[in-house]
Amino acid sequence: MYTIRTIWTRVRQSAHTQLRTCAQWRTYAQAAAAEPFLNGTSSVYVEEMFSAWQQDPNTVHKSWDAFFRNAVAGLPPGQAYTPPPSLTSSSVGVRPQQIYPSHAVTQGALDDKLIEDHLAVQAIIRSYQAVGHHIAKCDPLGITFADLDSTVPPELELKNYQLEEPDLDRIFQLPKTTHIGGKDESLPLREIINRLENIYCRSIGIEYMFINNLDQCEWIRKKFETPGVMNFNNEEKRLILARLIRSTRFEEFLARKWSSEKRFGLEGCEVMIPAMKTIIDRSSDLGVDSFIMGMPHRGRLNVLANVCRKPLEKILCQFDSKLEAIDEGSGDVKYHLGMSIERLNRLSNKNVKLAVVANPSHLEAVDPIVQGKTKAEQFYREDTKGQKVMSILLHGDAAFSGQGVVYETFHLSDLPAYTTHGTVHIVCNNQIGFTTDPRHSRSSPYCTDVARVVNAPIFHVNADDPEAVVYVCQVAAEWRNIWNKDVVIDLVGYRKNGHNEIDEPMFTQPLMYKKISQQPSSLNIYAKKLIAEGSVTQPEFEEEVSKYDKICEEAFLAAKKETAVHNSDWLDSPWTGFFDNKDPMKLPLTGIQEEQLQHIGQAFGEVPNSDFTIHGGLKRILKARRDMVKNRVADWAMGEALGFGSLLMDGIHVRLSGQDVERGTFSHRHHVLHDQKRDKVMTNPLNNLSEDQAPYTVVNSSLSEYGVLGFELGYSLTNPNALICWEAQFGDFSNTAQCIIDQFISCGQAKWVRQSGLVLLLPHGYEGMGPEHSSARPERFLQMSNDDPDIIGVSVREIL
């Protein structure tokens, strides 16, 4: 007892004791640190055990028996403790590798250094999760990183965590914020870093730590960090290879047959076809049966051929300049065309409807149109969660970062009246825009940074690693299904030719295109890999190539037999049966009975029930409405309400969208009444006309014209038996939507045989407020309606 009591008593005495020198005090303090259980109230417990041990050593645990024997024998503090034998060690005298360093174990407690090291390891793991994508090897050419910065983030350097080379073999406990261990709860630091680099710094760069939802971040971590998640079986690898063969050989076939023809081929990013098909396959498994797609011109013919399965001879006919259309319309260049088709998805064994929306050379203009068309189909199918209908948008890297309509479209993604419950975005990243280097075409590290504003995860992936691409696409489809939010896949590839096939890229990118000229195709890289690992044999690969080459040759011969083309074959939004038995030159009767007008007017001016507190000013407005009905007169707002109401009672859906349309720019409409005492309590009189009426949708839009008008145009394509209206707040507000008016509305029927019932409104006439606000420049609309420059127009007398 003398040894223990002496250590404890001396340590507990005051540092001011005259009998002790500073050197002695340090010695006693070190002794206490070496045996921390001798501090505080623990000493009483130890003394009691020591007394019991003196009476009978068997009354205490063997570890204490050994400790007391060593202490009585005179061993200094810190050496009296003997660790128990390992349960896992099979050799005498061999201790297992420990999570903690030996000095910490012998002290019986975790010291500050160990805690700091474990915190450092946790910080390293988080750093890879947050910034590992900056050094991911996504560029197939190996020229630069996808973020245009070749420096390694300091957060990924071991030296910045006070850890050195010997620490790599120490074992550390894994935090709950990672899944790299699988079933293992601890790993050597070397293995931790190796696994993190394989996940975050190889072919896939994952941006997700900016998302402000812990559950979503955790979901992504599980999808990528769990060991073995990216293992494909032979059947899956063969499917990827077959799809890559079709994508690659289609472009090579067109290059052989029409070497000097512009087609905006997909060479350098052929993996986009397997990527799209994977998204469709997985989403079809999850219940989606309608896919609405928008894309620029690069790769469009390949998408039509190998994703939508448009008959190849119909595509090849577009290369014959001698063939003329025998139906209405002027037609358009082949890489602008859309289509709609329904076919069987072989993997899910379900029928799917695929629509590719036609698009002019304004690369991203189609984005809001696709979203509007998707929203309309979801609305009419009562698909309130987007489980049946979804959109897929394809982009180019320069346009995705450069075009403002991309942001406008993203900005609509979570708005209740505009959301499509998640869109899968695929960026065909050529790492160049026409001739402009990305270092001169964007200020952000990535071309995809605009997607961060809506908390969309971004997956950068090397386009020469098909398995990584396919896995990312599976995750993207599942993300959209579970979280109903946008997701971005950045396929980092290259553009084998110039901006088009007859362009010379060496003028402006000589070093890049020297590298491209030496780069094997992704098909050759992947085929070589599969042959080397035994997943496919060389004869099997060659047979698959020959099989598709034969299909192309047979389609080429069939195309030569065609004598004309049909513009209607490329219709993206058919109004089946709508024009049957109708005279296009005869206006139908639209009059209604006065009793119905009286009913609509009374409902429009009705005061809500007593529980609803209405604004005092609105009471006067509602009374004025009732008076107008009584006096059989109408102002602008009443006339609009009577028109809308009559359609609603006939079962025709009406949607009015635009800036501040619920109240009206000039406080004239008031279609939505707000309770003055309760938030989010409102009523819409035109939705209370009858039990069997159609729904009336009136929604304030975001402060956007280009994006919102495009959205409403897309909405109008789906149902011919609906009235879809977009109201510009002032005449000049339509200026920023001019691209949609010029490229889609005025010429859509001529180019693409596309119909639309969209109505553009203004809430005013020439009321003043300056020359800009007052006029929507109607002369431009008249000019766009003029087909023949040699004919001035037709007189009203001739029309009548």
Side-chain angles (χ1 to χ4, degrees):
M1 190 62 202
Y2 171 79
T3 306
I4 298 174
R5 187 177 298 278
T6 300
I7 294 173
W8 167 244
T9 303
R10 290 178 181 175
V11 170
R12 190 169 55 180
Q13 289 175 346
S14 168
H16 301 96
T17 303
Q18 298 297 324
L19 298 177
R20 182 176 301 119
T21 66
C22 290
Q24 288 175 322
W25 173 257
R26 282 195 294 271
T27 301
Y28 298 141
Q30 291 170 357
E35 302 289 17
F37 55 81
L38 296 180
N39 291 309
T41 57
S42 298
S43 63
V44 177
Y45 173 68
V46 175
E47 290 174 4
E48 291 176 352
M49 277 203 299
F50 181 71
S51 297
W53 174 79
Q54 286 181 313
Q55 298 295 325
D56 183 2
N58 294 322
T59 59
V60 300
H61 191 271
K62 291 183 178 180
S63 60
W64 283 108
D65 178 35
F67 173 77
F68 291 140
R69 290 180 187 276
N70 291 334
V72 170
L75 287 180
Q79 297 182 18
Y81 170 73
T82 302
S86 170
L87 296 177
T88 59
S89 177
S90 58
S91 302
V92 177
V94 178
R95 297 179 61 186
Q97 196 172 20
Q98 297 175 342
I99 294 176
Y100 313 118
S102 59
H103 75 272
V105 175
T106 58
Q107 289 178 10
L110 304 183
D111 66 5
D112 290 345
K113 169 63 175 170
L114 182 64
I115 294 174
E116 289 176 2
D117 288 351
H118 270 76
L119 290 174
V121 171
Q122 290 190 28
I124 290 171
I125 293 172
R126 184 174 178 83
S127 294
Y128 273 96
Q129 294 169 340
V131 300
H133 56 86
H134 285 296
I135 59 171
K137 298 173 179 62
C138 292
D139 180 13
L141 302 176
I143 296 176
T144 185
F145 291 98
D147 65 348
L148 309 180
D149 187 352
S150 60
T151 60
V152 177
E155 301 97 314
L156 302 181
E157 296 185 0
L158 196 64
K159 64 182 181 181
N160 294 323
Y161 295 93
Q162 285 73 51
L163 293 171
E164 300 176 351
E165 182 68 25
D167 293 311
L168 290 173
D169 294 319
R170 288 170 53 194
I171 297 180
F172 289 89
Q173 188 81 21
L174 295 172
K176 299 297 183 182
T177 54
T178 186
H179 302 275
I180 61 173
K183 295 181 179 180
D184 296 326
E185 296 182 354
S186 57
L187 289 172
L189 180 55
R190 190 185 305 277
E191 181 63 16
I192 290 173
I193 293 175
N194 181 57
R195 294 190 184 189
L196 289 170
E197 288 185 346
N198 284 330
I199 294 164
Y200 292 104
C201 307
R202 292 292 185 261
S203 294
I204 304 173
I206 311 166
E207 278 192 277
Y208 70 102
M209 291 295 281
F210 59 86
I211 297 174
N212 55 12
N213 183 302
L214 292 178
D215 292 336
Q216 292 174 1
C217 291
E218 175 67 5
W219 186 89
I220 293 173
R221 274 193 288 269
K222 283 184 179 179
K223 285 295 180 180
F224 286 95
E225 291 186 354
T226 303
V229 290
M230 285 184 57
N231 294 335
F232 291 88
N233 59 39
N234 280 354
E235 183 179 352
E236 292 169 333
K237 292 178 180 179
R238 286 169 174 265
L239 178 61
I240 296 171
L241 180 64
R243 289 173 169 177
L244 197 55
I245 287 172
R246 285 177 171 266
S247 176
T248 304
R249 298 300 288 181
F250 176 79
E251 298 293 354
E252 292 177 357
F253 175 80
L254 295 183
R256 289 197 305 271
K257 298 297 185 182
W258 295 280
S259 58
S260 60
E261 183 85 13
K262 282 200 288 187
R263 55 185 167 81
F264 294 95
L266 200 53
E267 292 98 325
C269 199
E270 297 94 337
V271 76
M272 190 176 81
I273 300 303
M276 293 182 68
K277 292 179 76 69
T278 299
I279 292 168
I280 293 170
D281 291 342
R282 188 70 187 104
S283 298
S284 177
D285 276 337
L286 296 170
V288 178
D289 58 24
S290 182
F291 299 85
I292 299 170
M293 296 171 276
M295 65 180 299
H297 41 266
R298 184 165 309 285
R300 180 177 287 261
L301 297 182
N302 208 323
V303 169
L304 296 176
N306 289 313
V307 176
C308 300
R309 295 298 179 90
K310 181 81 172 177
L312 287 180
E313 56 270 22
K314 297 294 183 182
I315 297 174
L316 301 183
C317 281
Q318 294 293 320
F319 286 89
D320 190 344
S321 59
K322 297 178 182 179
L323 294 182
E324 296 184 357
I326 60 174
D327 54 0
E328 67 169 304
S330 63
D332 199 355
V333 291
K334 50 189 168 290
Y335 38 81
H336 287 177
L337 299 175
M339 66 165 290
S340 178
I341 193 172
E342 186 170 344
R343 67 174 181 82
L344 178 69
N345 182 281
R346 301 187 190 282
L347 287 190
S348 66
N349 201 32
K350 299 177 183 177
N351 279 335
V352 294
K353 180 182 176 183
L354 306 173
V356 177
V357 178
N359 189 40
S361 292
H362 290 68
L363 302 180
E364 300 290 343
V366 76
D367 296 356
I369 295 172
V370 168
Q371 301 298 64
K373 180 174 168 60
T374 304
K375 182 65 174 180
E377 189 167 335
Q378 290 174 349
F379 177 82
Y380 295 121
R381 294 184 60 182
E382 298 182 352
D383 182 16
T384 57
K385 296 295 184 182
Q387 300 298 306
K388 300 175 184 176
V389 185
M390 69 172 284
S391 55
I392 301 174
L393 286 176
L394 280 71
H395 313 267
D397 51 315
F400 198 59
S401 60
Q403 295 286 302
V405 71
V406 175
Y407 175 80
E408 291 189 37
T409 305
F410 268 118
H411 196 51
L412 298 174
S413 64
D414 275 340
L415 302 184
Y418 300 90
T419 180
T420 58
H421 308 287
T423 297
V424 177
H425 300 263
I426 304 176
V427 179
C428 180
N429 190 342
N430 300 311
Q431 304 187 78
I432 189 173
F434 204 149
T435 66
T436 305
D437 189 292
R439 291 170 293 188
H440 300 151
S441 67
R442 66 175 187 260
S443 297
S444 58
Y446 295 106
C447 65
T448 55
D449 283 342
V450 64
R452 295 168 68 103
V453 301
V454 293
N455 279 331
I458 303 167
F459 305 130
H460 310 278
V461 57
N462 189 317
D464 273 0
D465 188 343
E467 291 181 15
V469 170
V470 167
Y471 182 73
V472 160
C473 290
Q474 291 174 350
V475 172
E478 292 168 8
W479 164 273
R480 190 261 171 197
N481 177 73
I482 292 173
W483 301 106
N484 300 126
K485 291 183 67 68
D486 287 28
V487 55
V488 177
I489 302 167
D490 180 18
L491 296 181
V492 185
Y494 54 91
R495 190 187 65 196
K496 185 175 181 180
N497 302 303
H499 177 62
N500 57 60
E501 285 69 26
I502 58 176
D503 188 46
E504 176 52 75
M506 291 287 284
F507 289 146
T508 51
Q509 276 76 34
L511 300 180
M512 183 183 196
Y513 273 85
K514 284 179 183 177
K515 183 74 173 177
I516 290 174
S517 66
Q518 302 167 1
Q519 181 77 5
S521 70
S522 59
L523 174 60
N524 289 337
I525 293 172
Y526 190 55
K528 185 176 180 181
K529 172 181 178 293
L530 295 191
I531 292 170
E533 69 183 29
S535 298
V536 68
T537 64
Q538 182 71 34
E540 288 173 333
F541 168 64
E542 293 174 354
E543 181 182 356
E544 192 70 27
V545 170
S546 299
K547 179 181 175 182
Y548 187 69
D549 286 351
K550 183 180 179 181
I551 292 173
C552 291
E553 290 292 346
E554 290 174 350
F556 179 71
L557 296 176
K560 285 186 173 183
K561 299 176 183 179
E562 297 285 342
T563 58
V565 294
H566 298 264
N567 290 330
S568 57
D569 288 343
W570 305 90
L571 189 56
D572 56 26
S573 304
W575 286 1
T576 306
F578 180 72
F579 296 102
D580 294 350
N581 303 318
K582 293 180 181 178
D583 185 350
M585 301 305 294
K586 183 177 180 180
L587 291 175
L589 298 175
T590 59
I592 62 173
Q593 298 296 320
E594 184 173 343
E595 291 78 9
Q596 189 174 2
L597 290 177
Q598 291 275 352
H599 173 75
I600 296 169
Q602 287 290 347
F604 191 48
E606 185 176 344
V607 177
N609 60 56
S610 58
D611 293 338
F612 193 97
T613 305
I614 195 168
H615 189 279
L618 282 176
K619 290 181 181 180
R620 295 190 295 272
I621 292 175
L622 295 180
K623 183 179 183 303
R625 291 175 180 176
R626 296 193 299 272
D627 290 343
M628 280 190 282
V629 173
K630 182 179 179 180
N631 297 324
R632 303 176 75 245
V633 296
D635 61 7
W636 177 271
M638 177 60 78
E640 181 186 67
L642 294 175
F644 287 176
S646 65
L647 292 173
L648 295 169
M649 293 188 71
D650 283 347
I652 295 174
H653 173 231
V654 177
R655 176 182 169 97
L656 173 61
S657 167
Q659 293 156 20
D660 308 294
V661 296
E662 294 179 8
R663 193 204 73 170
T665 301
F666 302 101
S667 195
H668 66 288
R669 183 172 286 126
H670 293 292
H671 281 191
V672 178
L673 308 180
H674 294 260
D675 190 293
Q676 297 298 298
K677 295 182 178 180
R678 294 175 292 172
D679 186 29
K680 301 179 182 178
V681 177
M682 58 198 74
T683 183
N684 185 333
L686 291 181
N687 269 326
N688 300 318
L689 301 177
S690 66
E691 293 183 356
D692 59 349
Q693 72 168 85
Y696 174 45
T697 307
V698 54
V699 289
N700 293 334
S701 73
S702 66
L703 197 64
S704 157
E705 291 86 29
Y706 188 170
V708 174
L709 177 57
F711 187 96
E712 301 306 332
L713 172 61
Y715 203 108
S716 73
L717 302 179
T718 298
N719 182 7
N721 298 304
L723 174 62
I724 310 301
C725 306
W726 175 74
E727 182 175 85
Q729 192 157 41
F730 285 99
D732 59 323
F733 280 32
S734 64
N735 291 348
T736 49
Q738 202 65 38
C739 176
I740 299 297
I741 296 169
D742 290 355
Q743 305 289 58
F744 293 88
I745 296 175
S746 68
C747 55
Q749 185 167 356
K751 292 191 297 185
W752 308 315
V753 203
R754 171 193 282 170
Q755 294 85 30
S756 167
L758 181 66
V759 174
L760 275 60
L761 295 177
L762 285 180
H764 63 81
Y766 283 104
E767 276 94 355
M769 292 196 177
E772 300 296 332
H773 270 2
S774 296
S775 177
R777 307 298 179 192
E779 61 273 16
R780 293 192 302 198
F781 291 86
L782 292 172
Q783 185 179 30
M784 287 186 289
S785 302
N786 186 16
D787 251 356
D788 193 334
D790 296 326
I791 298 177
I792 301 301
V794 182
S795 68
V796 175
R797 187 179 300 276
E798 291 180 34
I799 294 176
L800 296 176

